[in-house]
Amino acid sequence: MNDRYLCALRREPVDCTPIWIMRQAGRYLPEYRATRARAGSFLALAKTPELACEVTLQPLDRFALDAAILFSDILTVPDAMGLGLYFAEGEGPKFERPLRDAASIEKLAVPDMETELGYVMDAVRLIRRELHGRVPLIGFSGSPWTLACYMIEGGGSDGFARVRALAYENPTLLHRLLATTTAAVIAYLKAQAAAGAQALQVFDTWGGLLSPRLYREFSLRYLQQIAEAVAGLEPPLILFGKGTGQFAAELAATGCAAVGLDWTTDLASARAACGDRVALQGNLDPTVLAASPEVIEREAKGVLDSFGVGSGHIFNLGHGITPDINPEHVAVLVDAVHRFSRRSGDG
Ligand code: CP3
């Protein structure tokens, strides 16, 4: 019913700028914390389609958001490849079996989507059913580079020094890992599309850690392969990167529908660099949501103004919402974006 988000991705006219929020289902919502407590853990929540569906819908019941995003995690793919994902309390994601030698990289295989990742596809099908067409559903994957960061390091890290050292010392081995991971990502996105995902977003959270030469070699090249592989599918592709705004035009040239930007890039410059080849998604600094409602409204207007007039803007934060945010501030933001961007009836 509300297809503002899909229209904006196609750069078609919309009545007002659509908005969704990265990590919109998450710990800042008391109802999320309650469901997570019932599930026992984040992973149990993500692996139980009924509960994943429940938390996906929670932010939509509170706020006038224009899209739903599948509740899952980017690390489900390496988990299904046998690395053993777990969450140590207060420490973020970890792998029991990180990739520490050539042999473990060489024996990696693409997992079967309907068995090893069947719980994700079941969640997509269930969410589509429960949404009743209210808003479109976004499916997602991590980028091959960002997944490789966690697979080599074995968990989160300040600078992912291990995988960056591998890029210099044994590029052939890293390319081998990225090739297998890219095949898995493509199969994962295609399976989500077949299960009912209406848009597909790839998160390249750690692309900005690389020098420009290495970014093009180890991240952009594989994003290009993904864009080509999903080009024939119905759902549009959004390529989000953190710290990769300087590559916006190159990302646009992959053939994706939209480029997602963090708050360190000016939307006007990105738009000038990309021309009208793609829509742009972003890019409010997530810390703004901790400020007063007046500041939130002012900064939301600033982001809308920086994109300027015309279609092809999807409002979002420049990265995920943090657990400390007051949900009422999200309501202020969603309302401000719709109100300030409302086009007059005559277009
Ligand atoms: O956006 C959404 O609402 C959909 C759900 C979603 C989650 N993770 C749920 C989640 C999405 C799209 C992701 C993607 C993801 N996961 C990324 C890429 C986007 C980004 O934020 O950069 C990355 C790098 C991960 C890996 C990951 N998963 C980390 C680093 C963490 C811990 C960070 C934290 O916030 O504690 C997770 C766990 C995770 N994934 C949580 C949620 C809601 C918090 C888990 C909890 O409930 O304790």
Side-chain angles (χ1 to χ4, degrees), residues 16 78-79 116 147 165 204 221 262 273-274 285-286 291 293 299 330:
C16 61
D79 183 48
E116 283 143 307
L147 293 176
D204 190 22
R221 183 196 292 193
D262 73 17
C274 297
D285 181 348
E299 295 302 315
V330 175

Side-chain angles (χ1 to χ4, degrees), residues 20-29 31-33 42 45 51-60 63 65 68-72 321:
W20 70 278
I21 292 174
M22 288 191 273
R23 290 275 170 101
Q24 62 191 22
R27 285 164 296 178
Y28 75 104
L29 289 177
E31 57 271 35
Y32 170 84
R33 296 194 299 269
F42 166 73
L45 183 51
L51 297 179
C53 176
E54 183 179 311
V55 295
T56 299
L57 301 180
Q58 285 171 348
L60 302 170
F63 315 116
L65 293 160
I69 180 161
L70 163 71
F71 187 82
S72 189
I321 185 169

Side-chain angles (χ1 to χ4, degrees), residues 20-28 32-33 36 41-43 45-46 55-56 59 68-75 85 87 89-93 138-143 146-147 150 155-156 160 201-206 240 242 319-323:
W20 70 278
I21 292 174
M22 288 191 273
R23 290 275 170 101
Q24 62 191 22
R27 285 164 296 178
Y28 75 104
Y32 170 84
R33 296 194 299 269
R36 183 174 176 270
S41 70
F42 166 73
L43 269 186
L45 183 51
V55 295
T56 299
I69 180 161
L70 163 71
F71 187 82
S72 189
D73 199 82
I74 63 165
L75 302 178
L85 176 64
F87 283 82
E89 198 50 50
E91 282 184 71
I138 307 167
F140 69 90
S141 170
S143 73
T146 292
L147 293 176
Y150 288 98
F160 290 94
Q201 175 156 324
V202 172
F203 289 90
D204 190 22
T205 306
W206 303 119
F240 166 78
K242 197 156 163 284
H319 198 208
I321 185 169
T322 50

Side-chain angles (χ1 to χ4, degrees), residues 164 168 207-218 246-247:
R164 285 162 65 205
Y168 291 105
L209 290 177
L210 292 164
S211 71
R213 181 174 68 80
L214 266 56
Y215 172 76
R216 293 186 178 102
E217 179 175 346
F218 294 103
Q246 63 174 311
F247 307 106

Side-chain angles (χ1 to χ4, degrees), residues 64-227:
L65 293 160
D66 297 297
I69 180 161
L70 163 71
F71 187 82
S72 189
D73 199 82
I74 63 165
L75 302 178
T76 53
V77 170
D79 183 48
M81 291 166 99
L83 275 70
L85 176 64
Y86 69 99
F87 283 82
E89 198 50 50
E91 282 184 71
K94 293 219 184 297
F95 287 120
E96 282 164 31
R97 292 171 292 279
L99 305 174
R100 288 289 157 76
D101 50 42
S104 59
I105 288 175
E106 275 149 22
K107 68 169 202 272
L108 282 177
V110 175
D112 184 82
M113 297 300 146
E114 284 295 343
T115 55
E116 283 143 307
L117 288 160
Y119 64 89
V120 176
M121 307 315 149
D122 287 341
V124 170
R125 287 184 278 262
L126 185 59
I127 297 163
R128 272 303 299 278
R129 199 157 2 108
E130 295 297 315
L131 274 171
H132 301 291
R134 231 193 323 169
V135 289
L137 175 64
I138 307 167
F140 69 90
S141 170
S143 73
W145 163 254
T146 292
L147 293 176
C149 285
Y150 288 98
M151 292 164 91
I152 299 276
E153 202 72 39
S157 157
D158 281 343
F160 290 94
R162 269 199 178 87
V163 65
R164 285 162 65 205
L166 189 66
Y168 291 105
E169 281 161 15
N170 195 343
T172 308
L173 186 61
L174 182 54
H175 279 303
R176 173 118 196 210
L177 169 60
L178 291 167
T180 311
T181 307
T182 300
V185 166
I186 290 169
Y188 192 50
L189 293 173
K190 284 185 171 172
Q192 289 181 48
Q198 292 152 289
L200 298 168
Q201 175 156 324
V202 172
F203 289 90
D204 190 22
T205 306
W206 303 119
L209 290 177
L210 292 164
S211 71
R213 181 174 68 80
L214 266 56
Y215 172 76
R216 293 186 178 102
E217 179 175 346
F218 294 103
S219 189
L220 184 62
R221 183 196 292 193
Y222 295 96
L223 295 173
Q224 174 76 57
Q225 291 178 13
I226 293 166

